[in-house]
């Protein structure tokens, strides 16, 4: 009794694993297979388990395609019930088999949004913006770009978000231009990021507005320290590097730097 059984139908397996997927959609296929073996003493194929997991995710979170189709309606409702919320949706044109453009249809390309309470609240935060990107896992991939600030108690304060095709110069330009235009137009802001070349390119592009009014772009010390540890595996020197990054005066910085550069 170690083979897949015809009585282990899709409906039965869906019922069995739905509570687990509801709690953790990233549950591994082998974990689901082990649960079925424990419950029914049968081993189901990897493909069948993967299809069932996909089916249950659609039951819990909805269909991928349908979710994208509902996005314009969701943004309209957001504008209605949360006035002054900023949402910028970009689409790509669709074409018929003969190459002609189909009017009224579009393919999702990019989305920028910032909730009105977040925009208002940022005015009372420190004049510092921290930006980063995270890869999205799913059918259509993409990258989630985020911007956060700090309030007076050093708590993280979310400011703006975007979904783009990836951490490209065009994707970061889309995010930074909208961020500057609608959320953070004030002068003397400090923008913190990792050393991604696309961020630097987008920031230095005058069309995105970060040079006028003036702002400052600095690098986050944590990614630098992580890269340092990959090359020089010395925790003591890593701590010294972080202290140099947090130094508030030139003599203090030179003191820590002298311990690293021999």
């Amino acid at each position: 009794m170690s083979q897949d059984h015809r009585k282990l139908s899709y409906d039965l397996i869906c019922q069995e694993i739905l509570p687990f997927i509801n709690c953790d959609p990233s549950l591994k296929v082998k974990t689901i297979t082990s649960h079925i073996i424990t419950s029914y003493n049968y081993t189901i194929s990897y493909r069948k388990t993967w299809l069932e997991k996909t089916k249950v995710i659609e039951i819990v979170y909805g269909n991928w395609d349908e979710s994208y189709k509902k996005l314009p309606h969701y943004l309209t409702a957001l504008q209605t019930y949360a006035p002054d919320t900023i949402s910028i949706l970009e689409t790509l044109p669709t074409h018929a088999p003969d190459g002609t453009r189909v009017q009224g249809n579009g393919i999702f390309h990019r989305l920028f949004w910032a909730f009105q309470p977040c925009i208002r609240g940022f005015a009372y935060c420190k004049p510092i913006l921290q930006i980063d990107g995270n890869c999205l896992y799913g059918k259509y991939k993409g990258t989630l770009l985020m911007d956060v600030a700090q309030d007076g108690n050093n708590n993280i304060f979310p400011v703006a978000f975007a979904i783009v095709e990836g951490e490209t110069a065009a994707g970061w330009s889309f995010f930074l231009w909208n961020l500057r235009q609608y959320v953070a137009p004030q002068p003397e802001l400090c923008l913190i990021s990792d050393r991604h070349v696309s961020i630097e390119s987008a920031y230095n592009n005058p069309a995105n507005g970060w040079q006028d009014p003036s702002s400052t772009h600095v690098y986050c010390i944590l990614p630098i320290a992580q890269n340092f540890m990959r090359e020089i595996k010395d925790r003591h020197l890593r701590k010294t590097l972080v202290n140099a990054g947090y130094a508030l005066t030139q003599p203090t910085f030179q003191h820590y730097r002298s311990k690293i550069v021999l």
Side-chain angles (χ1 to χ4, degrees):
M1 294 173 63
S2 61
Q3 301 301 314
D4 199 350
H5 195 283
R6 62 188 180 88
K7 291 291 186 182
L8 285 171
S9 65
Y10 286 106
D11 291 335
L12 177 62
I13 299 174
C14 276
Q15 262 187 341
E16 186 68 31
I17 68 175
L18 193 147
F20 301 102
I21 299 298
N22 197 16
C23 295
D24 182 13
S26 63
L27 197 66
K28 295 184 179 298
V29 171
K30 63 179 182 181
T31 305
I32 298 173
T33 304
S34 298
H35 174 74
I36 298 299
I37 293 173
T38 303
S39 300
Y40 297 100
N41 201 25
Y42 278 97
T43 303
I44 58 177
S45 65
Y46 181 94
R47 182 176 183 276
K48 189 173 183 179
T49 308
W50 183 83
L51 289 172
E52 285 308 309
K53 179 186 173 182
T54 304
K55 186 176 179 181
V56 172
I57 288 176
E58 285 193 4
I59 292 173
V60 176
Y61 296 100
N63 179 275
W64 284 98
D65 298 335
E66 290 300 321
S67 296
Y68 275 93
K69 289 178 183 178
K70 292 177 181 177
L71 183 58
H73 302 289
Y74 169 76
L75 295 177
T76 301
L78 192 62
Q79 293 288 346
T80 302
Y81 295 101
D84 298 326
T85 291
I86 301 298
S87 61
I88 310 296
L89 175 64
E90 286 190 359
T91 59
L92 298 175
T94 55
H95 297 86
D98 60 358
T100 59
R101 182 171 177 176
V102 179
Q103 297 296 328
N105 289 330
I107 301 172
F108 176 87
H109 186 40
R110 300 182 184 127
L111 173 65
F112 173 92
W113 76 97
F115 299 106
Q116 191 262 358
C118 296
I119 298 173
R120 292 184 60 187
F122 174 62
Y124 302 95
C125 291
K126 300 174 184 177
I128 298 172
L129 292 170
Q130 302 171 66
I131 59 174
D132 200 3
N134 284 300
C135 294
L136 300 176
Y137 298 94
K139 186 176 181 180
Y140 295 109
K141 309 301 180 183
T143 301
L144 173 67
L145 305 182
M146 297 172 292
D147 169 38
V148 299
Q150 276 190 350
D151 64 16
N153 295 322
N154 294 328
N155 296 315
I156 299 298
F157 186 85
V159 179
F161 309 87
I163 295 177
V164 297
E165 67 277 14
E167 288 199 67
T168 63
W172 275 111
S173 290
F174 169 78
F175 180 64
L176 289 180
W177 187 88
N178 284 295
L179 181 65
R180 191 62 157 168
Q181 185 77 14
Y182 299 109
V183 181
Q186 54 266 54
E188 305 302 328
L189 289 178
C190 179
L191 192 70
I192 303 176
S193 73
D194 59 22
R195 300 183 66 187
H196 201 291
V197 292
S198 296
I199 299 177
E200 187 170 357
S201 173
Y203 175 82
N204 291 329
N205 186 348
N208 293 327
W210 289 89
Q211 279 70 45
D212 185 21
S214 63
S215 64
T216 305
H217 181 207
V218 299
Y219 298 127
C220 179
I221 190 63
L222 294 182
I224 296 175
Q226 290 171 355
N227 294 336
F228 183 87
M229 280 297 292
R230 291 193 189 101
E231 298 296 327
I232 305 173
K233 304 183 184 304
D234 188 317
R235 293 188 178 278
H236 177 71
L237 285 180
R238 178 190 180 279
K239 185 176 181 180
T240 304
L241 176 69
V242 172
N243 288 337
Y246 280 103
L248 298 178
T249 64
Q250 188 69 19
T252 305
F253 171 79
Q254 292 296 344
H255 168 73
Y256 288 115
R257 184 178 184 276
S258 64
K259 294 184 177 182
I260 301 172
V261 181
L262 300 177

